[in-house]
Amino acid sequence: ANPSSNAPTMAHAPVQVATEEDLALHNGRQLVQVDGRYIALIAHAGELHALDATCYHMGGPLLHADIEDSAEFGPCVVCPWHRYPISLETGDSLYRNMQGVSCSKGVKQRVHAVERRDGKIYVRLRAGEVDAAPVKIESDTYAFEPPPPSGGGVMGGVGGAAKQKSVQSGGVVRSGHVFRRGGTETGAAGTDWLARGGGAGSAAQSQCARMVGKDLARSMCGADGRAPWASGASGASASADHFTAPLPPGFQSFTLQSRRPIASDTVELTVSGDLPGPVSAWTSGAHFLVRLSPRPEAAERPYTPYRRPGDRGQFQILVKSYPTGALSPQLAHLTPGAKLLLRGPLSGAPHIEHTAGQPLCFVTGGTGITPALQVLFMLADARATARLAGTVTSLPAIHVLCFGRRPEDIYLRSDLEGLSKDIPE
């Protein structure tokens, strides 16, 4: 985790978002807005927590999500769509290792400072500025869009000069309870009760079941990495008139040079130009955001580019087209000359101190091969440059494990085999 990424700064003053009475009436869960950012205000075990209301992973709603306690990271909110646990205190996304210990994948969800004063509740945004430059956290992608339904009510007003907004959750059942009731009240037909939104129980339960059932269906269609509820066809077109608007901050325009099919649903796009930012930033699996229009509502998607050894003035993107995706079908069918908007580099793996005699291992699957390719291609390029200079570079043994359902799902296999010649290790 990057301790500075969620560190408080002086750039934001505390803003009153609710009262303790409001929060109690809403069963300790309230959706508020501060400077346009949607924040889940959660009371748990006597403590108040504030974090971005939409899950960083694929846009799931966190407001009414279950909370589980972690011995290592404290209370964690568990996204109802894909069961990702997120620390309420730090924003770390967690997983369990082979020994059953909770470990962090890094800070993925932005958390904010919250305090009580004279019966009022204040939130201070944590923007994560470092040397006046904002540090992106993955939940920023969805922070300014209304979260999907999570069993709450409608947007209502909250008192106070700040005129922030609140979603009144009332006493509506949380997602986990809906599943339990679906199974216990209707027996073996519990799943059908969810699908139909009916069966035993009150009208409120039926309505909540229909809502959760729809959310589940939408979440399973979101393999494109963009929240299905936040996407629309209007944001995916790449017609030229979209580029008459000013580019969003940090984005640059690039031109598609060529398109090469890799599999029935996957293509490799070659883009003209050098990777944005310093070359050194593209050696550790960094990614950029891709969009096809500068319009605020346009869909954007993270992709990890790579550049083959010796190539200059071009780089590649691997795109798998998902039928229900907000952006990937349009990207996969672009023709040479089309324009793309890119912003990066973003994230990437931290520097790894290598222990002599120990191999490095990449574990990949499908289009997830691209971060490994970025690193390996850069290593091969650096080695070739060193040879031309008459120097010798040593590398540890490198293993690449590629997984797929079928042999043809191992993308860019010929490139990997070529790398084994360039990098005998």
Side-chain angles (χ1 to χ4, degrees), residues 233-309:
S234 62
S237 173
S239 59
D241 59 348
H242 289 179
F243 287 85
T244 58
L247 297 185
F251 278 85
Q252 300 177 46
S253 179
F254 289 81
T255 302
L256 179 63
Q257 179 174 310
S258 63
R259 173 185 179 275
R260 179 169 71 102
I262 298 296
S264 60
D265 57 0
T266 305
V267 299
E268 181 185 67
L269 303 180
T270 296
V271 182
S272 297
D274 293 320
L275 285 164
V279 174
S280 59
W282 298 103
T283 59
S284 59
H287 70 274
F288 47 40
L289 294 178
V290 181
R291 54 164 57 209
L292 295 177
S293 167
R295 297 184 303 178
E297 69 273 19
E300 62 183 36
R301 168 76 160 88
Y303 283 90
T304 302
Y306 52 92
R307 190 190 70 193
R308 290 185 170 84

Side-chain angles (χ1 to χ4, degrees), residues 367-390:
T367 56
I369 186 67
T370 53
L373 282 178
Q374 184 185 113
V375 175
L376 293 170
F377 281 154
M378 290 296 182
L379 285 175
D381 209 8
R383 167 162 285 188
T385 302
R387 282 175 179 165
L388 289 174

Side-chain angles (χ1 to χ4, degrees), residues 43 46 123 136 209 214 229 234 236 251 262 287 290 330 370 386 392 402:
V123 167
K136 180 178 172 63
K214 289 179 181 178
W229 49 266
S234 62
F251 278 85
I262 298 296
H287 70 274
V290 181
Q330 288 73 29
T370 53
V392 178
C402 300

Side-chain angles (χ1 to χ4, degrees), residues 299-377:
E300 62 183 36
R301 168 76 160 88
Y303 283 90
T304 302
Y306 52 92
R307 190 190 70 193
R308 290 185 170 84
D311 276 1
R312 296 294 182 269
Q314 64 180 33
F315 55 91
Q316 284 74 35
I317 308 172
L318 198 61
V319 178
K320 182 171 183 176
S321 177
Y322 294 93
T324 57
L327 185 59
S328 65
Q330 288 73 29
L331 277 179
H333 290 89
L334 289 178
T335 56
K339 300 294 183 182
L340 301 87
L341 301 182
L342 310 178
R343 180 168 74 86
L346 301 171
S347 67
H351 178 69
I352 300 174
E353 292 294 339
H354 178 253
T355 303
Q358 296 296 316
L360 293 178
C361 183
F362 294 90
V363 182
T364 73
T367 56
I369 186 67
T370 53
L373 282 178
Q374 184 185 113
V375 175
L376 293 170
F377 281 154

Side-chain angles (χ1 to χ4, degrees), residues 9-39:
T9 73
M10 299 303 294
H12 299 279
V15 174
Q16 184 193 341
V17 295
T19 66
E20 293 193 66
E21 184 179 4
D22 288 334
L23 193 59
L25 288 173
H26 300 151
N27 296 324
R29 304 289 183 102
Q30 201 164 355
L31 182 66
V32 299
Q33 249 188 306
V34 180
D35 293 346
R37 194 179 196 103
Y38 289 87
I39 296 171

Side-chain angles (χ1 to χ4, degrees), residues 131-162:
D131 296 331
V135 176
K136 180 178 172 63
I137 290 179
E138 291 187 34
S139 67
D140 295 344
T141 301
Y142 304 114
F144 297 94
E145 301 179 34
S150 64
V154 296
M155 188 74 80
V158 176

Side-chain angles (χ1 to χ4, degrees), residues 148-182:
S150 64
V154 296
M155 188 74 80
V158 176
K163 295 184 180 179
Q164 306 301 326
K165 297 178 180 178
S166 168
V167 168
Q168 300 190 9
S169 59
V172 181
V173 186
R174 288 161 59 187
S175 58
H177 297 159
V178 172
F179 287 121
R180 284 194 286 275
R181 290 185 183 182

